[in-house]
PDB file of all heavy atoms in Angstrom:
ATOM      1  N   MET A  32      52.148 -74.767  50.761  1.00 61.00           N
ATOM      2  CA  MET A  32      51.469 -73.539  50.338  1.00 61.00           C
ATOM      3  C   MET A  32      52.061 -72.315  51.032  1.00 61.00           C
ATOM      4  O   MET A  32      52.211 -71.258  50.428  1.00 61.00           O
ATOM      5  CB  MET A  32      49.968 -73.646  50.598  1.00 61.00           C
ATOM      6  CG  MET A  32      49.278 -74.653  49.694  1.00 61.00           C
ATOM      7  SD  MET A  32      47.543 -74.878  50.111  1.00 61.00           S
ATOM      8  CE  MET A  32      46.859 -73.411  49.363  1.00 61.00           C
ATOM      9  N   GLY A  49      44.043 -49.453  36.887  1.00 55.00           N
ATOM     10  CA  GLY A  49      43.436 -48.300  37.529  1.00 55.00           C
ATOM     11  C   GLY A  49      41.990 -48.138  37.079  1.00 55.00           C
ATOM     12  O   GLY A  49      41.468 -48.914  36.299  1.00 55.00           O
ATOM     13  N   GLY A  62      51.726 -58.675  56.060  1.00 89.00           N
ATOM     14  CA  GLY A  62      51.235 -58.583  57.435  1.00 89.00           C
ATOM     15  C   GLY A  62      49.956 -57.772  57.546  1.00 89.00           C
ATOM     16  O   GLY A  62      49.041 -58.134  58.290  1.00 89.00           O
ATOM     17  N   THR A  80      34.903 -74.741  58.044  1.00 89.00           N
ATOM     18  CA  THR A  80      33.984 -75.457  57.158  1.00 89.00           C
ATOM     19  C   THR A  80      34.632 -76.728  56.633  1.00 89.00           C
ATOM     20  O   THR A  80      34.043 -77.811  56.690  1.00 89.00           O
ATOM     21  CB  THR A  80      33.582 -74.538  55.978  1.00 89.00           C
ATOM     22  OG1 THR A  80      32.943 -73.386  56.488  1.00 89.00           O
ATOM     23  CG2 THR A  80      32.659 -75.239  55.023  1.00 89.00           C
ATOM     24  N   ALA A  85      35.182 -82.450  56.441  1.00 88.00           N
ATOM     25  CA  ALA A  85      36.111 -83.536  56.129  1.00 88.00           C
ATOM     26  C   ALA A  85      36.244 -84.523  57.281  1.00 88.00           C
ATOM     27  O   ALA A  85      36.416 -85.726  57.052  1.00 88.00           O
ATOM     28  CB  ALA A  85      37.475 -82.964  55.751  1.00 88.00           C
ATOM     29  N   ALA A  90      35.157 -89.988  58.837  1.00 92.00           N
ATOM     30  CA  ALA A  90      34.751 -90.876  59.923  1.00 92.00           C
ATOM     31  C   ALA A  90      33.517 -91.716  59.600  1.00 92.00           C
ATOM     32  O   ALA A  90      33.355 -92.811  60.154  1.00 92.00           O
ATOM     33  CB  ALA A  90      34.482 -90.051  61.180  1.00 92.00           C
ATOM     34  N   ARG A  94      32.824 -95.486  60.831  1.00 95.00           N
ATOM     35  CA  ARG A  94      31.783 -95.727  61.846  1.00 95.00           C
ATOM     36  C   ARG A  94      30.766 -96.741  61.335  1.00 95.00           C
ATOM     37  O   ARG A  94      30.344 -97.633  62.067  1.00 95.00           O
ATOM     38  CB  ARG A  94      31.089 -94.417  62.215  1.00 95.00           C
ATOM     39  CG  ARG A  94      30.030 -94.608  63.283  1.00 95.00           C
ATOM     40  CD  ARG A  94      29.470 -93.314  63.786  1.00 95.00           C
ATOM     41  NE  ARG A  94      28.484 -93.582  64.822  1.00 95.00           N
ATOM     42  CZ  ARG A  94      27.351 -92.923  64.944  1.00 95.00           C
ATOM     43  NH1 ARG A  94      27.061 -91.935  64.125  1.00 95.00           N
ATOM     44  NH2 ARG A  94      26.503 -93.230  65.898  1.00 95.00           N
ATOM     45  N   MET A  95      30.383 -96.594  60.071  1.00 97.00           N
ATOM     46  CA  MET A  95      29.409 -97.530  59.513  1.00 97.00           C
ATOM     47  C   MET A  95      29.967 -98.951  59.488  1.00 97.00           C
ATOM     48  O   MET A  95      29.250 -99.905  59.819  1.00 97.00           O
ATOM     49  CB  MET A  95      28.983 -97.075  58.117  1.00 97.00           C
ATOM     50  CG  MET A  95      28.138 -95.818  58.137  1.00 97.00           C
ATOM     51  SD  MET A  95      27.640 -95.279  56.486  1.00 97.00           S
ATOM     52  CE  MET A  95      26.447 -96.566  56.068  1.00 97.00           C
ATOM     53  N   LEU A  98      29.838-100.504  62.796  1.00 97.00           N
ATOM     54  CA  LEU A  98      28.479-100.887  63.175  1.00 97.00           C
ATOM     55  C   LEU A  98      27.980-102.099  62.385  1.00 97.00           C
ATOM     56  O   LEU A  98      26.845-102.541  62.569  1.00 97.00           O
ATOM     57  CB  LEU A  98      27.522 -99.704  62.965  1.00 97.00           C
ATOM     58  CG  LEU A  98      27.716 -98.528  63.913  1.00 97.00           C
ATOM     59  CD1 LEU A  98      26.929 -97.317  63.458  1.00 97.00           C
ATOM     60  CD2 LEU A  98      27.320 -98.928  65.334  1.00 97.00           C
ATOM     61  N   TYR A 100      27.817-102.331  58.907  1.00 98.00           N
ATOM     62  CA  TYR A 100      27.336-102.061  57.549  1.00 98.00           C
ATOM     63  C   TYR A 100      28.367-102.518  56.530  1.00 98.00           C
ATOM     64  O   TYR A 100      29.573-102.395  56.778  1.00 98.00           O
ATOM     65  CB  TYR A 100      27.076-100.554  57.349  1.00 98.00           C
ATOM     66  CG  TYR A 100      25.846-100.041  58.043  1.00 98.00           C
ATOM     67  CD1 TYR A 100      25.934 -99.413  59.279  1.00 98.00           C
ATOM     68  CD2 TYR A 100      24.590-100.174  57.460  1.00 98.00           C
ATOM     69  CE1 TYR A 100      24.807 -98.931  59.918  1.00 98.00           C
ATOM     70  CE2 TYR A 100      23.453 -99.695  58.088  1.00 98.00           C
ATOM     71  CZ  TYR A 100      23.570 -99.079  59.324  1.00 98.00           C
ATOM     72  OH  TYR A 100      22.443 -98.597  59.951  1.00 98.00           O
ATOM     73  N   ASP A 104      27.788 -99.793  51.517  1.00 98.00           N
ATOM     74  CA  ASP A 104      26.850 -98.822  52.097  1.00 98.00           C
ATOM     75  C   ASP A 104      27.564 -97.531  52.485  1.00 98.00           C
ATOM     76  O   ASP A 104      27.065 -96.433  52.252  1.00 98.00           O
ATOM     77  CB  ASP A 104      26.148 -99.408  53.329  1.00 98.00           C
ATOM     78  CG  ASP A 104      25.086-100.439  52.970  1.00 98.00           C
ATOM     79  OD1 ASP A 104      24.800-100.618  51.764  1.00 98.00           O
ATOM     80  OD2 ASP A 104      24.549-101.073  53.902  1.00 98.00           O
ATOM     81  N   HIS A 112      26.863 -87.735  49.621  1.00 98.00           N
ATOM     82  CA  HIS A 112      27.463 -86.557  50.249  1.00 98.00           C
ATOM     83  C   HIS A 112      28.222 -85.704  49.231  1.00 98.00           C
ATOM     84  O   HIS A 112      28.070 -84.477  49.204  1.00 98.00           O
ATOM     85  CB  HIS A 112      28.406 -87.008  51.368  1.00 98.00           C
ATOM     86  CG  HIS A 112      29.245 -85.923  51.953  1.00 98.00           C
ATOM     87  ND1 HIS A 112      28.716 -84.890  52.692  1.00 98.00           N
ATOM     88  CD2 HIS A 112      30.584 -85.708  51.892  1.00 98.00           C
ATOM     89  CE1 HIS A 112      29.703 -84.091  53.067  1.00 98.00           C
ATOM     90  NE2 HIS A 112      30.839 -84.557  52.594  1.00 98.00           N
ATOM     91  N   ALA A 115      25.905 -83.848  47.082  1.00 98.00           N
ATOM     92  CA  ALA A 115      25.324 -82.736  47.842  1.00 98.00           C
ATOM     93  C   ALA A 115      26.323 -81.598  48.055  1.00 98.00           C
ATOM     94  O   ALA A 115      25.924 -80.448  48.235  1.00 98.00           O
ATOM     95  CB  ALA A 115      24.819 -83.239  49.192  1.00 98.00           C
ATOM     96  N   SER A 123      24.370 -71.565  44.372  1.00 97.00           N
ATOM     97  CA  SER A 123      24.922 -70.886  45.551  1.00 97.00           C
ATOM     98  C   SER A 123      25.540 -69.531  45.206  1.00 97.00           C
ATOM     99  O   SER A 123      25.490 -68.603  46.022  1.00 97.00           O
ATOM    100  CB  SER A 123      25.913 -71.779  46.293  1.00 97.00           C
ATOM    101  OG  SER A 123      26.925 -72.243  45.447  1.00 97.00           O
ATOM    102  N   ASP A 125      24.362 -67.461  42.983  1.00 97.00           N
ATOM    103  CA  ASP A 125      23.209 -66.551  42.918  1.00 97.00           C
ATOM    104  C   ASP A 125      22.740 -66.165  44.316  1.00 97.00           C
ATOM    105  O   ASP A 125      22.334 -65.020  44.548  1.00 97.00           O
ATOM    106  CB  ASP A 125      22.059 -67.189  42.138  1.00 97.00           C
ATOM    107  CG  ASP A 125      22.362 -67.328  40.654  1.00 97.00           C
ATOM    108  OD1 ASP A 125      23.207 -66.555  40.142  1.00 97.00           O
ATOM    109  OD2 ASP A 125      21.757 -68.206  40.010  1.00 97.00           O
ATOM    110  N   GLY A 131      24.089 -61.842  49.986  1.00 97.00           N
ATOM    111  CA  GLY A 131      25.377 -61.401  50.519  1.00 97.00           C
ATOM    112  C   GLY A 131      26.107 -62.549  51.178  1.00 97.00           C
ATOM    113  O   GLY A 131      25.480 -63.480  51.707  1.00 97.00           O
ATOM    114  N   PRO A 133      27.769 -62.918  54.084  1.00 95.00           N
ATOM    115  CA  PRO A 133      27.521 -63.280  55.486  1.00 95.00           C
ATOM    116  C   PRO A 133      26.245 -64.104  55.686  1.00 95.00           C
ATOM    117  O   PRO A 133      26.242 -65.066  56.456  1.00 95.00           O
ATOM    118  CB  PRO A 133      27.431 -61.934  56.207  1.00 95.00           C
ATOM    119  CG  PRO A 133      28.246 -61.009  55.354  1.00 95.00           C
ATOM    120  CD  PRO A 133      27.986 -61.458  53.945  1.00 95.00           C
ATOM    121  N   GLY A 146      22.952 -80.956  60.104  1.00 96.00           N
ATOM    122  CA  GLY A 146      23.496 -82.244  59.682  1.00 96.00           C
ATOM    123  C   GLY A 146      24.170 -82.982  60.820  1.00 96.00           C
ATOM    124  O   GLY A 146      24.017 -84.197  60.965  1.00 96.00           O
ATOM    125  N   ALA A 152      21.510 -88.631  65.600  1.00 94.00           N
ATOM    126  CA  ALA A 152      20.182 -89.192  65.862  1.00 94.00           C
ATOM    127  C   ALA A 152      20.187 -90.714  65.989  1.00 94.00           C
ATOM    128  O   ALA A 152      19.268 -91.283  66.558  1.00 94.00           O
ATOM    129  CB  ALA A 152      19.200 -88.764  64.770  1.00 94.00           C
ATOM    130  N   MET A 163      24.727 -86.734  56.015  1.00 98.00           N
ATOM    131  CA  MET A 163      25.838 -86.388  55.128  1.00 98.00           C
ATOM    132  C   MET A 163      25.383 -85.545  53.941  1.00 98.00           C
ATOM    133  O   MET A 163      26.151 -84.725  53.437  1.00 98.00           O
ATOM    134  CB  MET A 163      26.568 -87.651  54.678  1.00 98.00           C
ATOM    135  CG  MET A 163      27.306 -88.362  55.819  1.00 98.00           C
ATOM    136  SD  MET A 163      28.405 -87.301  56.807  1.00 98.00           S
ATOM    137  CE  MET A 163      29.663 -86.929  55.601  1.00 98.00           C
ATOM    138  N   ALA A 179      33.506 -65.935  48.688  1.00 95.00           N
ATOM    139  CA  ALA A 179      33.016 -64.666  48.140  1.00 95.00           C
ATOM    140  C   ALA A 179      33.360 -63.500  49.069  1.00 95.00           C
ATOM    141  O   ALA A 179      33.723 -62.416  48.604  1.00 95.00           O
ATOM    142  CB  ALA A 179      31.509 -64.737  47.916  1.00 95.00           C
ATOM    143  N   THR A 195      45.469 -67.405  48.677  1.00 87.00           N
ATOM    144  CA  THR A 195      46.502 -68.406  48.927  1.00 87.00           C
ATOM    145  C   THR A 195      46.744 -68.575  50.421  1.00 87.00           C
ATOM    146  O   THR A 195      46.848 -69.697  50.928  1.00 87.00           O
ATOM    147  CB  THR A 195      47.813 -68.022  48.216  1.00 87.00           C
ATOM    148  OG1 THR A 195      47.546 -67.851  46.829  1.00 87.00           O
ATOM    149  CG2 THR A 195      48.879 -69.083  48.405  1.00 87.00           C
ATOM    150  N   ASP A 198      43.788 -70.409  51.977  1.00 88.00           N
ATOM    151  CA  ASP A 198      43.832 -71.827  51.636  1.00 88.00           C
ATOM    152  C   ASP A 198      44.888 -72.560  52.459  1.00 88.00           C
ATOM    153  O   ASP A 198      44.666 -73.689  52.910  1.00 88.00           O
ATOM    154  CB  ASP A 198      44.103 -72.024  50.142  1.00 88.00           C
ATOM    155  CG  ASP A 198      42.902 -71.700  49.282  1.00 88.00           C
ATOM    156  OD1 ASP A 198      41.792 -71.550  49.830  1.00 88.00           O
ATOM    157  OD2 ASP A 198      43.083 -71.580  48.056  1.00 88.00           O
ATOM    158  N   SER A 206      44.341 -80.566  58.187  1.00 79.00           N
ATOM    159  CA  SER A 206      45.257 -81.676  58.506  1.00 79.00           C
ATOM    160  C   SER A 206      45.292 -81.935  60.000  1.00 79.00           C
ATOM    161  O   SER A 206      45.315 -83.082  60.433  1.00 79.00           O
ATOM    162  CB  SER A 206      46.650 -81.389  57.975  1.00 79.00           C
ATOM    163  OG  SER A 206      47.220 -80.264  58.603  1.00 79.00           O
TER     164      SER A 206
END
Side-chain angles (χ1 to χ4, degrees):
M32 291 175 78
T80 300
R94 181 172 181 220
M95 290 180 71
L98 291 169
Y100 287 98
D104 286 353
H112 171 68
S123 55
D125 291 336
M163 293 309 292
T195 304
D198 286 347
S206 64

